[in-house]
Amino acid sequence: MPMFMRAPNRARYRSAPLSVGAIAAALALPAAAFQIETGDPDLKILWDTTFKYSATFRVEGSSEAIVGSTLPNYDPASPSYFPNTDDGSRNFKTGPVSNRLDILSELDILYRNIGARVSGAGWYDTIYRRDGNANNSPTTANPISVDANQFTHATQVLMGADAELLDAFVFAKGTLGDGMRGTVRLGKHTLLYGESLMFGANGIAAAQAPIDVIKAATVPNAQFKEFMMPVNQVSGQLQITPEVMVGGYYMFEWKSDRLPASGSYFSFMDALGTGAERLIVGYSPLGNVSFNHIENMHAKNSGQFGLQLRFHVAETDYGLYAVQWNDHGPSGPYLVPFAAPVPFSKGLQVGNYQFVFHEGIRAVGASANTTFDKVNFGAEVSYRWNTPVSSDAQVNLSGGNNSDNPLYAVGKSVHAQINWIASLGPTFLANEADFVGELAWNRLLSVSRNPNAVNPLATRNATNIRFVFEPKYRQVFPGVDLSVPVGVGYGIDGNSSVVGAFQGEGIGDISVGLNGSYLDVWRFGLSYTHYFGSSAPFIAFGHQMFKQYWGDRDYVSLNIRRTF
């Protein structure tokens, strides 16, 4: 029976000190904004709208190591029977897998010491709005509501045509008491603590916002802050002295990570994500035998908060943190079997399944940040308890939940990372270059609940690294600046028991790109991404495999954008 652990978010990347629209950061907007004349020197209104066109192309066909046997009749007893991990690959031939237009609009209003920010985004992708896809394997297709060669309606909406409100908050700043400056924000925004650069899911930043994994998969070499999704909260900070600052927040809203929709190009498990409809566990003369999806067990909106203390000593900034949050990534699934199988139009249903989101993770941590010459170094260490541990699927017959009676494993862990941001001088490659990266490690200290549920392929220790080297070339042509980012991510050792974003041992990716701007108004990019390491399905033989489940998903992408 297929099993599952906590889903990876593949988000890789630095905490932002204040609120930013996740898409705005990903589009790398120019610093200048269009200012609306108000006739009042105390009232400023800034409004920007960015249009972006992007296209993504698959460069190789499906791999049998990931999608399973190519035989016309699938044998559930076969070691190559992988019906729950193949749709994302089978749905696309080589060639275009995304043809997308994005629009982002941002409005900032400031009157003296108070203001507001509102931003929203919309997108349209013709690939997901078309009538069908390339899937020719009805015996392993997971959709129930549509034919094997069609995207479910929910997948079409999320991936093909949708809009959302991003930032929507008011703020005020001023002086309290004897010259202590402070700020407060109320509404939808992001606020990230700590020094995480690329592995925010391994640090304190994991507590503070859900991740848009779709963007994380499609924007090579970007930083963690660029994929954070705003949530409703109140936050503030107070500069007690020039060297000491305190801050805190309380969230009014919980949201899950935005995983690739079921059957979309970067979907790694057909039974997970928006549009998922069933988990196939066998085959019968009536068709597939499956657990069908019911509503996930979401976390509650309350119980999420944090505090920070930042202070400056000599040439170094230090931070202390305490946070509590409800997990943005899923655990499970929980399987609820029927007393007897129930035939339906697409096969035989033997029960229901749902993913669950654990409540009440707690962490404390410390960080440091300093600069030597032209290199900035950041470091962070944290300790978590009541945190979900990589687990196999569990049968829920005893009222298992996501708080006081979890059926998956729960335990304690320690996390650490160190990162750097370097501006390099002239070399034989270029007159200037940026070199940024992060080395991250975590260790499972103990399992306090359900040790028998732990995925046996997970290890106690895991280490990952990610870095980007980007030589830059100014005025290559009149008004044109270019850069060549080269990014690498690699699982150095271990299969993390506690951070789904970590890559397994020996698993990695490399991307090479060409970015440019014209008159600092038009921006464009071209990149190639290759996934390396031993390929295997996300799940097989009852466990998450910690292998390269995107091993047949290499792609070339291009984009062009303009802000008005």
Side-chain angles (χ1 to χ4, degrees):
M1 180 178 296
M3 304 292 185
F4 182 65
M5 68 153 284
R6 298 184 63 222
N9 61 30
R10 285 276 181 148
R12 35 195 199 262
Y13 317 119
R14 183 170 183 113
S15 60
L18 297 177
S19 298
V20 292
I23 297 182
L27 295 181
L29 299 180
F34 175 69
Q35 184 166 339
I36 299 174
E37 293 297 330
T38 65
D40 185 342
D42 292 329
L43 177 63
K44 295 181 180 179
I45 301 177
L46 306 176
W47 184 25
D48 278 345
T49 299
T50 298
F51 293 91
K52 174 185 176 184
Y53 170 74
S54 61
T56 304
F57 302 87
R58 185 178 191 170
V59 298
E60 61 181 324
S62 298
S63 165
E64 189 168 320
I66 293 174
V67 304
S69 171
T70 57
L71 297 174
N73 296 313
Y74 290 83
D75 179 7
S78 169
S80 60
Y81 181 72
F82 306 135
N84 295 301
T85 59
D86 63 332
D87 288 353
S89 183
R90 292 186 189 275
N91 288 350
F92 301 89
K93 298 179 179 179
T94 55
V97 297
S98 178
N99 182 47
R100 177 167 167 147
L101 178 66
D102 287 84
I103 180 172
L104 167 72
S105 195
E106 305 167 287
L107 178 66
D108 293 279
I109 302 173
L110 178 64
Y111 182 75
R112 296 182 180 176
N113 290 327
I114 61 174
R117 175 179 173 83
V118 178
S119 63
W123 56 91
Y124 190 90
D125 193 323
T126 63
I127 298 297
Y128 290 96
R129 300 304 296 180
R130 62 191 180 186
D131 291 335
N133 58 54
N135 196 313
N136 62 356
S137 179
T139 56
T140 63
N142 288 66
I144 296 174
S145 61
V146 295
D147 292 336
N149 64 346
Q150 293 182 325
F151 297 113
T152 63
H153 175 72
T155 295
Q156 283 190 311
V157 171
L158 176 60
M159 305 300 297
D162 207 353
E164 64 179 338
L165 181 67
L166 297 173
D167 287 327
F169 65 90
V170 294
F171 64 90
K173 56 184 178 179
T175 302
L176 181 67
D178 190 18
M180 294 186 294
R181 297 180 59 82
T183 63
V184 63
R185 289 171 171 76
L186 175 64
K188 291 190 67 173
H189 62 284
T190 56
L191 181 77
L192 309 181
Y193 291 172
E195 296 294 337
S196 297
L197 178 64
M198 296 179 170
F199 293 100
N202 192 60
I204 290 295
Q208 297 181 285
I211 292 291
D212 189 333
V213 183
I214 299 170
K215 288 188 175 64
T218 56
V219 183
N221 304 323
Q223 295 186 7
F224 182 79
K225 66 181 181 182
E226 301 179 32
F227 311 116
M228 308 306 282
M229 300 170 63
V231 295
N232 280 301
Q233 60 184 314
V234 58
S235 67
Q237 61 185 44
L238 182 65
Q239 195 76 40
I240 298 176
T241 72
E243 292 79 25
V244 180
M245 183 271 288
V246 295
Y249 68 89
Y250 187 89
M251 291 183 178
F252 306 119
E253 178 185 20
W254 172 88
K255 286 179 19 179
S256 66
D257 292 336
R258 177 176 288 166
L259 300 176
S262 177
S264 63
Y265 185 62
F266 288 104
S267 171
F268 46 85
M269 184 176 178
D270 310 335
L272 175 65
T274 297
E277 295 185 339
R278 64 174 163 176
L279 177 71
I280 298 172
V281 296
Y283 193 73
S284 76
L286 296 177
N288 284 322
V289 179
S290 64
F291 287 84
N292 292 2
H293 187 241
I294 58 175
E295 184 178 2
N296 291 328
M297 191 179 295
H298 294 137
K300 59 188 178 185
N301 290 322
S302 59
Q304 302 182 97
F305 52 86
L307 296 170
Q308 71 165 340
L309 170 65
R310 300 279 298 187
F311 54 97
H312 184 80
V313 179
E315 300 299 322
T316 303
D317 291 316
Y318 297 94
L320 298 174
Y321 313 95
V323 293
Q324 177 174 301
W325 76 100
N326 301 329
D327 203 3
H328 306 292
S331 296
Y334 285 172
L335 308 178
V336 184
F338 293 160
V342 177
F344 71 110
S345 60
K346 290 292 184 73
L348 199 63
Q349 183 181 359
V350 293
N352 295 321
Y353 80 94
Q354 64 180 166
F355 288 95
V356 297
F357 295 84
H358 188 62
E359 295 179 344
I361 306 170
R362 301 180 181 91
V364 293
S367 69
N369 186 293
T370 192
T371 299
F372 294 101
D373 194 18
K374 295 182 179 180
V375 183
N376 176 265
F377 290 98
E380 182 181 318
V381 61
S382 59
Y383 168 75
R384 298 180 187 177
W385 64 99
N386 192 36
T387 190
V389 176
S390 172
S391 302
D392 293 333
Q394 299 296 310
V395 176
N396 188 6
L397 297 176
S398 58
N401 59 27
N402 59 349
S403 55
D404 61 340
N405 187 32
L407 304 182
Y408 46 86
V410 176
K412 301 176 181 178
S413 59
V414 63
H415 307 248
Q417 53 225 70
I418 185 170
N419 55 62
W420 63 92
I421 303 175
S423 296
L424 306 180
T427 66
F428 71 96
L429 290 175
N431 288 330
E432 59 178 305
D434 292 338
F435 181 43
V436 301
E438 187 163 53
L439 178 69
W441 166 87
N442 57 66
R443 176 178 174 83
L444 175 64
L445 296 176
S446 63
V447 178
S448 54
R449 306 189 70 162
N450 307 315
N452 293 332
V454 175
N455 180 354
L457 300 181
T459 59
R460 295 196 66 179
N461 295 282
T463 307
N464 271 203
I465 191 171
R466 184 168 291 279
F467 58 84
V468 181
F469 176 70
E470 185 172 9
K472 298 182 176 182
Y473 308 92
R474 308 289 182 181
Q475 295 298 299
V476 176
F477 305 105
V480 177
D481 296 331
L482 298 176
S483 66
V484 183
V486 179
V488 177
Y490 184 66
I492 297 176
D493 69 80
N495 302 321
S496 179
S497 298
V498 288
V499 176
F502 264 40
Q503 302 193 90
E505 182 172 337
I507 303 305
D509 59 85
I510 181 171
S511 63
V512 180
L514 175 66
N515 293 337
S517 66
Y518 176 64
L519 300 177
D520 203 33
V521 174
W522 289 94
R523 297 181 181 273
F524 53 89
L526 175 69
S527 67
Y528 167 69
T529 299
H530 168 64
Y531 300 101
F532 61 87
S534 178
S535 293
F538 179 69
I539 57 168
F541 316 116
H543 313 292
Q544 179 183 346
M545 299 299 292
F546 296 101
K547 299 297 184 181
Q548 184 53 271
Y549 49 80
W550 282 340
D552 61 358
R553 242 59 72 86
D554 289 8
Y555 69 94
V556 172
S557 64
L558 60 89
N559 68 82
I560 184 169
R561 56 194 182 273
R562 169 70 190 267
T563 299
F564 297 90

